Amino acid sequence: MIDLVGLLKPKTSKDSVIFIEVDGQQIEILLIRNKRSKRLTLRQNLSGGNFKLSMPMRSSIAQAKAFCNEHASWIADKSITMQDMVIFEHGQRIPLRGDQVKLIFLDQLRGQTLLLADELRVTGGSDYAPRRLTTWLKAEAKTDIVSAIEKYQPLLDVKHSKLTIRDTKSRWGSCSSSKALSFSWRLVLAPPNVLDYVVAHELAHILEMNHSAKFWAHVERVCPHMNDSRNWLKTNGGQLHQIRVK
Ligand SMILES: [Zn+2]
């Protein structure tokens, strides 16, 4: 979950916050002065809403404001308001494997989650439905990720050690030097090709622990839709983080 209050507090005394008006809305930008920064760089984390501007030590607040105003349209495109947040409730539509499904919460006694065409029915009391749904989505994510691993491991001739499903805010997946893989459960919301690409990407790191040309060649060999999937994540990835879970 995004901690909006926490973002208001600068992390260290060197950091500060400025507000930029974009389309009548005040957007908060955390300024981070960094000794290694040679220029101003504006970034947003995957969960959306949180903008950070890295800047050299000598840069002024006025320079930071001018830079952000220059990039106001980019900020407007990326900014997510609280109204855009999707909360699990009856009648809400959520993405699942790239399609839209409608949530139907039913007050039947036995708790279960059932996917029927474009309806996702959650029974067992509306109060518990969001939690039950989250558990179900994470399990579905794991099933899809495991089958993608089984598909790509023989193609790349690699073998992973451990698998963890997380709710990571900054990465869709990771691969450690001990070949342990970790993925965001939110990949189950994206089109299946995108989940496949992220799995192929992390498995290819077992061969190449970097993003060299050799690494990308491995990914592209097994995953010809690599570029489409990367673009999809760049454009739509933030939206998958707009879904708040309990
Ligand atoms: Zn990578």
Side-chain angles (χ1 to χ4, degrees):
M1 216 202 279
I2 301 168
D3 180 6
L4 285 169
V5 181
L7 299 178
L8 293 169
K9 284 183 235 139
K11 288 198 183 95
T12 71
S13 58
K14 273 185 287 174
D15 301 340
S16 49
V17 165
I18 56 167
F19 289 88
I20 299 294
E21 193 176 312
V22 179
D23 296 336
Q25 203 193 333
Q26 295 289 319
I27 307 285
E28 179 195 300
I29 311 213
L30 181 65
L31 306 183
I32 298 163
R33 285 204 170 80
N34 191 325
K35 272 183 195 151
R36 283 162 303 165
S37 292
K38 299 246 184 315
R39 57 195 171 92
L40 299 160
T41 316
L42 191 56
R43 284 196 190 88
Q44 184 190 31
N45 70 13
L46 279 177
S47 51
N50 186 1
F51 292 95
K52 287 179 184 173
L53 180 70
S54 316
M55 49 202 272
M57 301 301 280
R58 61 189 150 72
S59 302
S60 67
I61 299 278
Q63 279 173 315
K65 279 193 175 164
F67 185 85
C68 291
N69 281 322
E70 255 173 61
H71 293 88
S73 61
W74 182 85
I75 294 169
D77 285 348
K78 301 277 176 190
S79 68
I80 293 165
T81 61
M82 283 307 279
Q83 290 89 47
D84 293 330
M85 297 298 284
V86 172
I87 298 161
F88 290 160
E89 59 188 7
H90 179 76
Q92 176 75 57
R93 285 184 181 276
I94 64 161
L96 179 66
R97 298 188 176 100
D99 288 327
Q100 290 286 314
V101 293
K102 193 176 178 182
L103 299 180
I104 305 290
F105 291 172
L106 296 166
D107 273 328
Q108 287 163 4
L109 264 186
R110 205 167 135 253
Q112 60 172 1
T113 305
L114 204 63
L115 182 62
L116 291 165
D118 61 348
E119 273 184 16
L120 192 51
R121 295 190 186 175
V122 190
T123 59
S126 307
D127 288 355
Y128 302 103
R131 181 152 273 282
R132 183 164 291 126
L133 176 59
T134 307
T135 307
W136 184 85
L137 286 168
K138 286 180 182 171
E140 291 292 299
K142 190 165 186 179
T143 306
D144 289 9
I145 288 164
V146 166
S147 62
I149 290 174
E150 283 167 359
K151 174 176 159 187
Y152 288 109
Q153 279 198 151
L155 295 175
L156 288 160
D157 197 20
V158 294
K159 209 150 181 56
H160 77 293
S161 58
K162 204 170 93 171
L163 170 66
T164 329
I165 309 295
R166 296 205 172 100
D167 193 6
T168 44
K169 289 269 184 274
S170 56
R171 306 156 102 178
W172 295 109
S174 67
C175 176
S176 75
S177 52
S178 62
K179 304 178 189 177
L181 302 177
S182 160
F183 295 96
S184 163
W185 69 266
R186 288 169 194 269
L187 285 168
V188 78
L189 307 174
N193 265 354
V194 174
L195 180 142
D196 275 11
Y197 155 70
V198 176
V199 170
H201 178 124
E202 298 312 332
L203 283 171
H205 276 313
I206 296 178
L207 297 170
E208 291 288 327
M209 264 298 169
N210 51 55
H211 290 118
S212 60
K214 224 171 140 187
F215 164 81
W216 289 114
H218 283 305
V219 184
E220 195 160 24
R221 179 170 59 81
V222 297
C223 191
H225 55 80
M226 170 181 100
N227 289 327
D228 288 345
S229 298
R230 288 180 78 193
N231 287 335
W232 191 95
L233 279 175
K234 257 184 224 154
T235 316
N236 305 292
Q239 282 174 25
L240 304 185
H241 282 281
Q242 282 171 254
I243 293 170
R244 280 174 70 170
V245 298
K246 286 193 178 176

